[in-house]
Amino acid sequence: MNIVILAAGQGKRMHSDHPKVLHPLAGKPLLGHVLDTARKLAAGRICVVYGHGGEQVRETLAAADLAWARQAPQLGTGHAVMQALPHLDPSAPTLVLYGDVPLIRAETLDRLMKVSDGGTLALLTVQFANPRGYGRIVRADGQVVRIVEEKDADDAERAIDEVNTGILVAPTSALARWLPGLGNRNAQGEYYLTDIVALAVAEGMVVEAVQPAHAWEVEGVNSKAQLAALERIHQRNIAEALMEQGVGLADPARIDVRGELVCGRDVFIDVNCVFEGRVELGDGTTIGPNCVIQGAAVGPRCIIGPFARLRPGTVLGQDVHIGNFVEVKNSTIADHSKANHLAYIGDATIGSRVNVGAGTITCNYDGANKFRTIIEDDVFIGSDTQLVAPVTVGRGATLGAGTTLTRDAPSEQLTISRTRQTTVPGWTRPTKQPRKD
Ligand code: UD1
Ligand code: CA
C-alpha cells in the first residue's frame, strides 16, 4: 500500500510562524501522530506532500522511510495528490491522509482498506449534526455518486449531513488516470480531489463509504482552539487506557501524558501531573499532586510529590521518597533513600537508605562543566548542605546541617563546615531614632 499525507496547507487560522502540522499534540507534532499511524499500517511507501514552511517540516520529521513531494503553489487537494504520484507504486492502492487530522486510528483505516479491497474507491465519511464547511456526500438510490464542496453546493446539498472526512483509498492506477483530468472551474478555483468520486462513478465503479467509530478520529486542526479541544480528547483517551490497565487516577481529566507512560500494578496518580518522554512507574508507586516527570524510571513502592520534578536520566530504586520542591536530574537514587523537602539532586549517584535533608543542593555546575556527586549507602545529609561536585560522601557518613562540602567526606564520621556559634555579650537591638524636623 502507498500512503499520501497532505500537509501543504498554510494553516492561516493558527496565527503562527510555525507550520500547522508541526504544532504539538501531546508533545508530538500533529504530522508525527499521522506518521506513527501510517507506519502501523505497514505501508510500502509513505509520501508527505509539503508546501508552506516545508523545509522545517522535512527537517523536523526526516526519516529514511519517507518520500517528500513539494507542492508549490498549492492549487488544491487533487493537485496535491498529483505531486505525490511519481513516488507511488502503481500496482498498490493509495491511502490519502491529512497531516492535520492526528487522531485517526489504524483500525478504522484497516476497515477502509478492506472495503476498497485494492480495486475500488473507498471514502471515510461521517454524519455531523452541523456539517458546515465540509464537502457533502451526494447519494442516489443509496449509492455515493459525487462529493460537492460547501462553497459549490445548493441548498438541498447543504442540507446533507453525511460529510467527506477527506480520508480515502483508491487504486493508484485509477488516480493516475483521473487526476490529470481534474478541472478547477469551481467556487474556489482549485483542483478538488473530491471530484474523482464522480469520475469513478462515470466509469461504473461502486464507490464505498466507511464510518469511523468515533467522530474525534476525523477532526482536523485549523485553529488553536481546535488543537486544545483535540488535546483534551486525546488526553482523556490516554487516561481511560491507563485506568483500563489498572492505574488509579484521582481525576482522569487532570493528567497530561506527552510521551509514553508505562505503569506497573497499583500505581496511583493524583491530580495535575505532567509526564513527558518515556516514564516508567513501578508497582505500588504513588505520584502526589502537581508533579512534572520527564524521562524517568521510578521503581516500585516509591512516593513522589506533591510538587516534585523528575527530569531526564532519573532512575529511582524501590521505596524511594521524593517530596515537595525536590528536583532530580540525571541521577540514580537507590532503595529506601529519601529526599523529602526542597532539594536539587543533579548528576548524582546516591546509595541505599540515604537521607537527604531539606535544602540540600548538589552544586554540579561550575559555569562551564558539570561534575558528579557520589553519596554512598547509609549517609545522612543534614539540612541546607551544599555538595560541591566532584565530591564523594563515604558510606555511613554524616554531614552536619549547613555544610558546604568541597572535599570528600570519610565513611562513618561526622563532617561539618560551619562557623562556630557565638553569642555576642552585651549586644542590643537597634532602636528607632526620633525624627528631627
Ligand atoms: C477538504 C475536502 C472536503 C472535506 C474536508 C475535510 C477537497 C476539495 N475538499 O476541504 O470535502 O470535507 O477537506 O476536512 O478536498 N492541502 C494540500 N494542498 C492543497 C490544499 C490542501 O496539501 O493545495 C492539504 C491541507 O494541508 C489539509 C488537507 O489538504 O491537510 C485539506 O485541505 P483543506 O484546505 O483543509 O480542505 P478543505 O477545503 O477543508
Ligand atoms: Ca480543513
Side-chain angles (χ1 to χ4, degrees):
M1 167 184 32
N2 304 291
I3 297 183
V4 175
I5 302 174
L6 302 188
Q10 202 169 340
K12 271 200 208 114
R13 282 191 282 152
M14 297 296 280
H15 300 291
S16 168
D17 291 337
H18 307 290
K20 177 163 77 173
V21 292
L22 290 186
H23 282 269
L25 180 92
K28 182 160 58 182
L30 293 173
L31 181 55
H33 287 268
V34 182
L35 288 172
D36 286 353
T37 305
R39 287 179 175 125
K40 275 194 215 157
L41 298 170
R45 281 297 192 96
I46 301 176
C47 180
V48 181
V49 181
Y50 70 100
H52 183 76
E55 298 316 320
Q56 204 187 333
V57 177
R58 269 186 89 147
E59 278 162 30
T60 308
L61 292 159
D65 64 339
L66 299 181
W68 296 85
R70 194 173 144 80
Q71 188 202 16
Q74 285 136 43
L75 304 178
T77 49
H79 178 255
V81 174
M82 194 135 100
Q83 311 311 306
L85 266 185
H87 296 281
L88 308 180
D89 172 0
S91 67
T94 294
L95 168 65
V96 177
L97 300 176
Y98 283 6
D100 57 3
V101 179
L103 299 185
I104 184 68
R105 293 183 318 136
E107 291 85 337
T108 301
L109 297 174
D110 269 333
R111 274 198 292 128
L112 191 65
M113 299 292 301
K114 282 219 179 67
V115 162
S116 154
D117 198 24
T120 192
L121 178 58
L123 309 173
L124 191 66
T125 72
V126 66
Q127 232 115 357
F128 278 152
N130 176 9
R132 185 138 44 91
Y134 290 91
R136 309 296 206 282
I137 306 295
V138 182
R139 291 176 182 262
D141 300 327
Q143 292 296 313
V144 176
V145 290
R146 62 194 172 87
I147 295 176
V148 60
E149 291 303 297
E150 162 107 4
K151 288 182 177 139
D152 300 289
D154 61 29
D155 286 348
E157 288 162 341
R158 282 184 197 204
I160 298 171
D161 66 354
E162 186 184 7
V163 306
N164 175 34
T165 66
I167 293 172
L168 58 82
V169 178
T172 307
S173 54
L175 284 176
R177 200 162 64 239
W178 297 330
L179 293 177
L182 292 182
N184 65 350
R185 273 192 267 148
N186 50 51
Q188 302 183 75
E190 288 183 2
Y191 296 91
Y192 289 165
L193 180 60
T194 45
D195 284 349
I196 67 172
V197 176
L199 295 177
V201 171
E203 287 182 3
M205 215 179 242
V206 175
V207 176
E208 302 286 353
V210 162
Q211 282 75 45
H214 313 279
W216 46 257
E217 290 184 64
V218 296
E219 269 164 35
V221 173
N222 295 303
S223 65
K224 297 262 166 82
Q226 286 173 345
L227 180 59
L230 270 196
E231 177 82 39
R232 284 305 100 211
I233 290 168
H234 186 52
Q235 292 299 341
R236 185 73 197 206
N237 291 343
I238 292 170
E240 260 152 35
L242 287 169
M243 292 187 295
E244 192 72 28
Q245 292 160 31
V247 177
L249 299 180
D251 182 354
R254 282 185 288 169
I255 175 172
D256 283 84
V257 181
R258 301 174 190 153
E260 193 190 354
L261 176 58
V262 183
C263 294
R265 288 177 78 78
D266 295 308
V267 165
F268 179 78
I269 301 170
D270 214 321
V271 298
N272 294 337
C273 293
V274 178
F275 298 89
E276 291 181 358
R278 185 184 158 88
V279 172
E280 290 170 36
L281 304 178
D283 294 351
T285 278
T286 293
I287 311 293
N290 302 298
C291 293
V292 177
I293 303 187
Q294 311 164 284
V298 178
R301 294 177 300 285
C302 290
I303 301 174
I304 311 297
F307 297 101
R309 180 174 182 204
L310 305 183
R311 290 171 55 201
T314 295
V315 178
L316 307 182
Q318 53 174 297
D319 181 38
V320 172
H321 298 193
I322 303 294
N324 43 255
F325 308 108
V326 174
E327 174 180 346
V328 184
K329 183 216 75 169
N330 190 30
S331 294
T332 299
I333 304 179
D335 304 350
H336 315 294
S337 288
K338 296 175 176 60
N340 270 326
H341 336 264
L342 303 153
Y344 173 58
I345 299 171
D347 302 310
T349 303
I350 299 183
S352 299
R353 297 171 303 278
V354 169
N355 188 82
V356 177
T360 296
I361 290 171
T362 55
C363 308
N364 59 329
Y365 185 51
D366 64 5
N369 297 296
K370 301 252 168 91
F371 300 96
R372 286 200 80 79
T373 298
I374 296 171
I375 301 171
E376 295 178 355
D377 293 346
D378 299 298
V379 164
F380 181 95
I381 299 178
S383 297
D384 190 29
T385 293
Q386 300 91 49
L387 299 126
V388 181
V391 75
T392 297
V393 183
R395 169 188 281 267
T398 298
L399 303 185
T403 292
T404 300
L405 194 73
T406 51
R407 282 171 286 128
D408 292 354
S411 290
E412 310 290 348
Q413 295 183 61
L414 170 66
T415 298
I416 189 164
S417 82
R418 206 200 272 168
T419 51
R420 275 187 190 281
Q421 180 168 324
T422 52
T423 301
V424 180
W427 182 87
T428 56
R429 279 193 198 171
T431 54
K432 198 148 181 111
Q433 305 280 328
R435 282 172 73 133
K436 323 175 231 181
D437 44 21

